[in-house]
């Protein structure tokens, strides 16, 4: 269903697909009643949500600070208006002024059309939190999107893409449905690639009991971003680490954050705890994945049902540490191409990784050019929160969402000779930007940050 | 009617205001901070956190950085509003002689009090009109506005206009002394009749009370909301220490880890 009453929307998961992620879709005639009940539960629970509902003054500052509004010009993509889709319902049912004054204060009864509109617009939000970052009060509209998606999930309305990823995660421990033999096969192939291209021997130990370090890569690295996985393997080999990749959770992401922050997110957290316990590791290192790192860094400590016995760090933090302590020999002239860095939203705004990434990239690349605005002020790639839909209408939207990013990349001039590198160290950014740099003809190749580390390492 | 506005309504206003604000704050605190949703910039100390609060509250830094045209109206408006409210309290309490405590003579203090009141009153009105203009004229602001957003501005503009009118047109002006006397009787629960029978003063008083009663049920609660939101988002986060267990890079490099010759010698 690519469109409903003029609202563009991604294809929905079928009832059968919803059952695979343990949801029995709510029949249409009960949806409104249920939605209000769920909304009531959420508002009693989440202060961030209540404050977003009750303290916005509608100053309009967020409008031109949101790339989806800049790209589409659709007034419902103004962050505060997107939140208003829920706020008007919230006012109607949960505030005195809304009950007494109705439309005058912008309160409205809930109906099925509004639920469809939620689905359309909450899946046009990238959850990049730029609106929260620029808001004078810090109102985090991302929280509203997340709660909107949670309610939709409980009603049985989730995009096919997100539902199938949730099911694959539960079945195989990664988003792409890779089985252990496929994982081992791919890693052997990558070892050969490294040997051919860089002339070094790198082994990727899988499920090695007694390893000191557990490295959790993004499953997309096995298929789409091999250089990221190769870079990580080369880094661990270079420093002589006793490391392993767990086959039970080869996934740095956590789609639970994006559509179901309850059951799905917690399920993935539990999986990691079990894997770490089984392998007896001492530290867990996280691969390149933006939303995933937010989930694991910020949400995991509060949601794990067991005491967390293992420190978890991001591979960028570790590489930066070895660079700062002068233990890595990197040749920034090996990569003789101009490079710019796209700051993944979750890294810079939700996890504070901005300076870490710069420590790493400056050590790996001689011709590094910042794009502006950057760091925590950066704009999203347009794929954030995995709205990487292929339905033609949605794909057109993705092009519009990425237009601000394209403008920024062009301004750096790295693609002028067609040999630039756009470093985007996040699996979703990569998946969005691979096609988008073509659509916008930017003359750059998309790479991860650990890719560049692998390329710049000096072995002798 | 005047009797109601001046001698009964104030008590209703204060009751509604206090209970209303407490009700809203209770609703907020009844819900919890479920997840760690710390937002950039990531401060490392409590002092830095305080710095973020202060620069947002005192300078509206985000508005300055991300929407300068809005800041031009919003910041002076709020500063003027703060001074006007403060001026009402201080001016009436000290009868305009508050600056005596800063070393001014009584006459100078009264003049200064008048001057500041006039200047801030005009800035406040200009700021509000500018914000109303934005709400009507700019697409992006009009598109996010509800009827109540306009009404709120119009109410504020009415209150400030009447106030400025009384200040600028001497025959309708109010003196400090009778107003102070009136408020004193109010506070002592022996409300006296409104002095001088100035219709503009009655309108000013009525509208101000309407505003105070609406405040707890409106977006004006952003006054408290911003503290609530920043309390959730701007906090210290301590990173786990980097550095990997049982890793000795120097030894690994000396051994030639990863180099083909090293592997073959391992085998041998």
């Amino acid at each position: 269903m690519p469109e409903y009453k003029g609202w563009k929307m991604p294809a929905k998961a079928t009832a059968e697909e919803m059952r695979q992620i343990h949801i029995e879709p709510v029949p249409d005639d009960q949806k409104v009643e249920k939605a209000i009940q769920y909304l009531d539960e959420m508002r009693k629970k989440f202060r961030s949500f209540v404050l977003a509902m009750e303290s916005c003054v509608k100053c309009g500052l967020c409008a031109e600070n949101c790339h989806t509004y800049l790209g589409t010009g659709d007034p419902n993509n103004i962050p505060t208006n997107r939140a208003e889709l829920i706020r008007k319902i919230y006012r109607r049912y949960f505030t005195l002024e809304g009950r007494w004054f109705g439309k005058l204060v912008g309160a409205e009864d809930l109906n099925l059309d509004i639920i469809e509109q939620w689905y359309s617009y909450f899946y046009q939000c990238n959850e990049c939190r730029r609106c929260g970052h620029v808001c004078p009060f810090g109102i985090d509209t991302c929280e509203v999107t997340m709660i909107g998606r949670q309610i939709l999930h409980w009603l049985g309305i989730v995009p096919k893409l997100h539902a199938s990823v949730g099911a694959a995660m539960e079945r195989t421990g990664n988003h792409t449905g890779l089985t252990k033999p496929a994982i081992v096969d791919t890693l052997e192939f990558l070892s050969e690639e490294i040997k051919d291209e860089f002339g070094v021997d790198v082994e990727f130990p899988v499920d090695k009991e007694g390893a000191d370090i557990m490295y959790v890569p993004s499953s997309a690295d096995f298929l789409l971003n091999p250089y990221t996985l190769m870079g990580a393997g080369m880094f661990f080999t270079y420093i002589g680490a006793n490391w392993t990749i767990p086959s039970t959770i080869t996934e740095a992401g956590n789609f639970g954050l994006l559509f179901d922050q309850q059951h799905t997110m917690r399920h993935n957290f539990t999986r990691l705890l079990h894997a770490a316990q089984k392998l007896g590791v001492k530290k867990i290192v996280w691969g390149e994945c933006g939303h995933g790192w937010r989930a694991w860094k910020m949400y995991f400590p509060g949601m794990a049902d067991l005491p967390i016995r293992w420190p978890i760090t991001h591979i960028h933090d570790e590489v930066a540490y070895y660079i700062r302590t002068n233990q890595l020999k990197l040749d920034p002239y090996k990569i003789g191409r101009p490079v710019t860095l796209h700051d993944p939203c979750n890294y810079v705004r939700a996890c504070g990784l901005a300076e870490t990434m710069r420590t790493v990239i400056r050590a790996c690349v001689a011709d590094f050019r910042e794009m502006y605005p950057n760091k925590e002020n950066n704009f999203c790639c347009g794929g954030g929160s995995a709205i990487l839909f292929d339905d033609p209408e949605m794909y057109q939207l993705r092009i519009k969402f990425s237009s601000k990013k394209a403008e920024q990349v062009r301004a750096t001039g790295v693609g002028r000779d067609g040999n630039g590198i756009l470093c985007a160290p996040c699996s979703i950014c990569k998946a969005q930007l691979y096609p988008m740099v073509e659509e916008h003809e930017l003359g750059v190749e998309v790479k991860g940050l650990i890719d560049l580390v692998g390329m710049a390492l000096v072995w002798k | 009617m005047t009797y109601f506005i001046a001698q009964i309504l104030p008590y209703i206003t204060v009751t509604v205001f206090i209970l209303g604000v407490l009700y809203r704050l209770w609703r907020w605190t009844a819900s919890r901070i479920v997840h760690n949703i710390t937002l950039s910039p990531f401060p490392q100390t409590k002092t830095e956190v305080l710095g973020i609060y202060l620069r947002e509250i005192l300078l509206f830094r985000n508005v300055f950085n991300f929407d300068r045209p809005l800041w031009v109206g919003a910041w002076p408006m709020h500063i003027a509003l703060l001074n006007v409210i403060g001026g009402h309290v201080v001016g009436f309490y000290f009868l305009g002689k508050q600056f005596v405590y800063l070393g001014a003579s009584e006459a100078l203090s009264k003049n200064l009090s008048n001057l500041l009141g006039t200047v801030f009153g005009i800035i406040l009105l200009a700021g509000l009109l500018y914000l109303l203009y934005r709400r009507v004229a700019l697409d992006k602001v009009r598109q996010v506005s509800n009827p109540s957003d306009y009404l709120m501005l119009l109410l504020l503009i009415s209150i400030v206009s009447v106030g400025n009118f009384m200040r600028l047109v001497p025959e309708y002006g109010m003196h400090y002394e009778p107003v102070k006397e009136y408020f004193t009787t109010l506070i002592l629960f022996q409300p006296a009749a409104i002095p001088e029978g100035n219709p503009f003063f009655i309108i000013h008083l009525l509208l101000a009370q309407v505003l105070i009663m609406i405040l707890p049920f409106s977006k004006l609660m952003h006054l408290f909301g911003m503290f609530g939101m920043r309390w959730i988002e701007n906090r210290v986060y301590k990173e786990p220490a980097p550095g990997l267990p049982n890793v000795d890079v120097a030894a690994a490099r000396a051994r030639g880890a990863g180099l083909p010759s090293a592997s073959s010698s391992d085998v041998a």
Side-chain angles (χ1 to χ4, degrees):
Chain A
M1 194 206 284
E3 218 166 280
Y4 174 91
K5 299 205 171 172
W7 301 316
K8 297 186 172 76
M9 49 181 68
K12 290 175 186 163
T14 61
E16 195 39 53
E17 285 165 327
M18 286 312 295
R19 283 182 200 110
Q20 282 180 23
I21 49 174
H22 315 290
I23 290 289
E24 187 60 40
V26 175
D28 277 354
D29 59 342
Q30 293 168 31
K31 274 201 174 100
V32 169
E33 184 197 335
K34 282 281 173 197
I36 294 167
Q37 180 199 324
Y38 297 147
L39 187 58
D40 194 24
E41 286 168 19
M42 299 314 258
R43 72 160 182 114
K44 284 178 178 153
K45 203 168 170 186
F46 287 87
R47 191 184 300 166
S48 52
F49 176 68
V50 176
L51 288 169
M53 291 292 103
E54 300 198 2
S55 24
C56 177
V57 296
K58 309 296 187 69
C59 65
L61 184 151
C62 49
E64 284 170 10
N65 282 297
C66 173
H67 62 288
T68 69
Y69 176 64
L70 290 176
T72 60
D74 184 339
N76 281 322
N77 274 330
I78 297 175
T80 186
N81 261 0
R82 183 165 19 228
E84 189 75 8
L85 298 174
I86 280 197
R87 206 184 275 124
K88 60 187 180 186
I89 310 304
Y90 176 92
R91 277 204 204 96
R92 163 67 186 80
Y93 295 96
F94 309 119
T95 69
L96 293 176
E97 63 270 27
R99 255 178 258 159
W100 294 343
F101 298 107
K103 280 241 157 44
L104 183 73
V105 294
E108 218 175 305
D109 282 317
L110 183 60
N111 59 43
L112 280 177
D113 281 353
I114 292 178
I115 293 178
E116 292 297 329
Q117 205 184 4
W118 285 359
Y119 179 61
S120 172
Y121 285 103
F122 291 136
Y123 282 98
Q124 288 185 49
C125 171
N126 286 116
E127 299 188 341
C128 76
R129 299 181 90 201
R130 196 170 195 275
C131 48
H133 174 67
V134 302
C135 175
F137 316 137
I139 294 173
D140 198 348
T141 308
C142 173
E143 290 290 298
V144 181
T145 295
M146 284 171 166
I147 276 165
R149 290 184 181 187
Q150 183 74 56
I151 294 170
L152 288 169
H153 170 67
W154 282 337
L155 294 176
I157 310 172
V158 173
K160 236 179 212 311
L161 172 69
H162 291 67
S164 67
V165 163
M169 185 71 202
E170 186 169 334
R171 204 171 58 244
T172 59
N174 59 66
H175 291 166
T176 37
L178 292 169
T179 56
K180 184 170 179 180
I183 289 165
V184 173
D185 248 23
T186 310
L187 290 173
E188 277 170 9
F189 170 74
L190 292 182
S191 287
E192 287 164 25
E193 285 289 301
I194 293 172
K195 179 88 185 159
D196 289 349
E197 192 167 341
F198 300 98
V200 286
D201 287 327
V202 169
E203 249 186 84
F204 291 88
V206 176
D207 292 338
K208 180 177 164 192
E209 287 192 23
D212 295 320
I213 300 153
M214 183 162 98
Y215 176 66
V216 181
S218 164
S219 65
D221 294 354
F222 288 86
L223 308 161
L224 297 167
N225 326 311
Y227 279 90
T228 306
L229 201 42
M230 285 154 66
M234 283 152 77
F235 165 68
F236 285 121
T237 307
Y238 186 93
I239 62 170
N242 178 15
W243 69 297
T244 188
I245 292 175
S247 70
T248 51
I249 176 161
T250 38
E251 185 52 72
N254 190 336
F255 267 39
L257 184 78
L258 310 178
F259 75 91
D260 174 21
Q261 297 190 347
Q262 313 269 330
H263 179 271
T264 306
M265 187 148 79
R266 194 182 299 271
H267 168 86
N268 293 4
F269 287 159
T270 310
R271 209 177 242 282
L272 181 84
L273 290 168
H274 293 175
Q277 184 193 26
K278 181 159 171 285
L279 298 176
V281 297
K282 297 192 177 70
K283 191 169 190 178
I284 300 169
V285 176
W286 219 251
E288 281 188 358
C289 175
H291 85 277
W293 183 229
R294 180 178 183 198
W296 293 93
K297 177 174 182 170
M298 309 305 282
Y299 286 63
F300 181 46
M303 272 186 90
D305 300 326
L306 297 165
I308 303 171
R309 289 179 279 148
W310 308 273
I312 306 182
T313 52
H314 195 275
I315 190 163
H316 292 170
D317 281 324
E318 296 298 344
V319 173
Y321 168 74
Y322 287 100
I323 289 172
R324 283 191 198 113
T325 51
N326 288 321
Q327 299 187 65
L328 289 190
K329 207 170 157 195
L330 294 154
D331 179 2
Y333 292 96
K334 269 195 182 175
I335 303 165
R337 298 156 66 182
V339 181
T340 186
L341 173 68
H342 157 65
D343 288 281
C345 312
N346 281 298
Y347 283 172
V348 287
R349 278 190 284 277
C351 297
L353 267 186
E355 292 309 322
T356 302
M357 285 189 287
R358 279 162 180 80
T359 302
V360 177
I361 203 163
R362 290 221 169 88
C364 296
V365 175
D367 184 2
F368 169 58
R369 303 177 198 175
E370 288 279 7
M371 66 169 77
Y372 295 97
N374 60 6
K375 300 182 183 170
E376 53 270 5
N377 297 341
N378 197 19
F379 281 100
C380 169
C381 62
S385 79
I387 52 176
L388 301 163
F389 306 112
D390 286 332
D391 328 47
E393 290 82 359
M394 297 309 288
Y395 186 80
Q396 289 306 315
L397 275 183
R398 281 171 62 191
I399 296 177
K400 288 181 182 165
F401 293 166
S402 60
S403 56
K404 186 74 200 175
K405 180 58 42 189
E407 198 183 292
Q408 284 182 285
V409 175
R410 253 184 234 116
T412 65
V414 294
R416 204 159 288 148
D417 302 328
N419 70 340
I421 291 179
L422 171 57
C423 177
C426 155
S427 284
I428 287 176
C429 297
K430 288 171 196 162
Q432 160 77 350
L433 291 170
Y434 286 143
M436 291 308 137
V437 297
E438 305 297 327
E439 299 289 351
H440 294 289
E441 298 175 357
L442 297 178
V444 295
E445 188 189 357
V446 179
K447 287 250 183 256
L449 184 53
I450 298 305
D451 312 32
L452 304 180
V453 174
M455 291 176 196
L457 275 175
V458 179
W459 293 80
K460 271 192 252 195
Chain B
M1 190 63 193
T2 313
Y3 172 73
F4 177 75
I5 294 170
Q7 282 145 288
I8 298 179
L9 191 59
Y11 297 106
I12 301 176
T13 304
V14 172
T15 312
V16 169
F17 175 78
I18 292 176
L19 292 182
V21 168
L22 287 177
Y23 165 70
R24 286 284 288 270
L25 295 182
W26 169 76
R27 275 162 67 105
W28 295 353
T29 45
S31 52
R32 295 178 304 136
I33 303 173
V34 180
H35 300 298
N36 183 347
I37 58 166
T38 302
L39 184 61
S40 54
F42 273 62
Q44 288 306 299
T45 61
K46 290 230 165 93
T47 320
E48 284 174 62
V49 175
L50 187 68
I52 296 173
Y53 277 57
L54 289 179
R55 75 187 189 203
E56 293 300 342
I57 295 162
L58 299 179
L59 304 173
F60 293 18
R61 179 182 162 277
N62 265 0
V63 188
F64 187 81
N65 283 352
F66 296 104
D67 196 340
R68 198 72 49 89
L70 172 60
W71 188 89
V72 168
W75 188 75
M77 190 282 268
H78 280 86
I79 295 299
L81 179 63
L82 184 71
N83 279 284
V84 165
I85 294 173
H88 275 70
V89 175
V90 175
F92 287 121
Y93 185 77
F94 292 105
L95 303 172
K97 295 172 199 155
Q98 62 271 26
F99 296 107
V100 171
Y101 298 92
L102 299 177
S105 70
E106 280 197 10
L108 178 64
S109 174
K110 278 198 165 182
N111 284 339
L112 211 51
S113 184
N114 279 331
L115 178 70
L116 285 174
T118 309
V119 168
F120 281 122
I122 289 169
I123 295 176
L124 179 55
L125 183 62
L128 288 167
L129 289 172
Y130 175 73
L131 292 182
L132 182 65
Y133 161 78
R134 277 175 59 88
R135 211 168 269 296
V136 177
L138 300 188
D139 279 349
K140 62 172 186 179
V141 194
R142 197 180 53 246
Q143 285 163 343
V144 302
S145 301
N146 284 319
S148 55
D149 296 318
Y150 296 102
L151 291 176
M152 200 66 75
L153 272 174
L154 290 174
L155 177 59
L156 278 162
I157 288 169
S158 320
I159 296 171
V160 177
S161 304
V162 176
N164 282 348
F165 178 80
M166 284 192 288
R167 186 168 274 292
L168 295 173
V169 183
E171 51 267 51
Y172 293 103
M174 292 296 289
H175 291 284
Y176 290 124
E177 291 78 6
V179 178
K180 180 177 179 181
E181 226 159 87
Y182 163 65
F183 274 103
T184 311
T185 62
L186 266 186
I187 291 165
L188 296 173
F189 292 99
Q190 292 160 342
I194 261 188
E196 294 174 28
N198 182 341
F200 291 95
F201 180 71
I202 296 169
I203 294 172
H204 188 68
L205 187 64
L206 173 65
L207 293 179
Q209 294 190 72
V210 170
L211 178 74
I212 293 169
M213 280 190 282
I214 290 177
L215 190 143
F217 307 98
S218 72
K219 64 175 188 175
L220 297 183
M221 283 295 283
H222 71 278
L223 169 64
F224 303 101
M226 78 167 292
F227 288 95
M229 213 61 229
R230 298 220 165 269
W231 174 252
I232 299 174
E233 283 169 353
N234 298 118
R235 41 180 64 202
V236 175
Y237 182 91
K238 288 283 175 218
E239 302 278 341
L244 296 165
N246 298 327
V247 163
D248 184 342
V249 184
R253 293 329 308 147
R255 187 169 83 235
L259 293 174
S261 53
S263 335
S264 50
S265 66
D266 278 354
V267 174

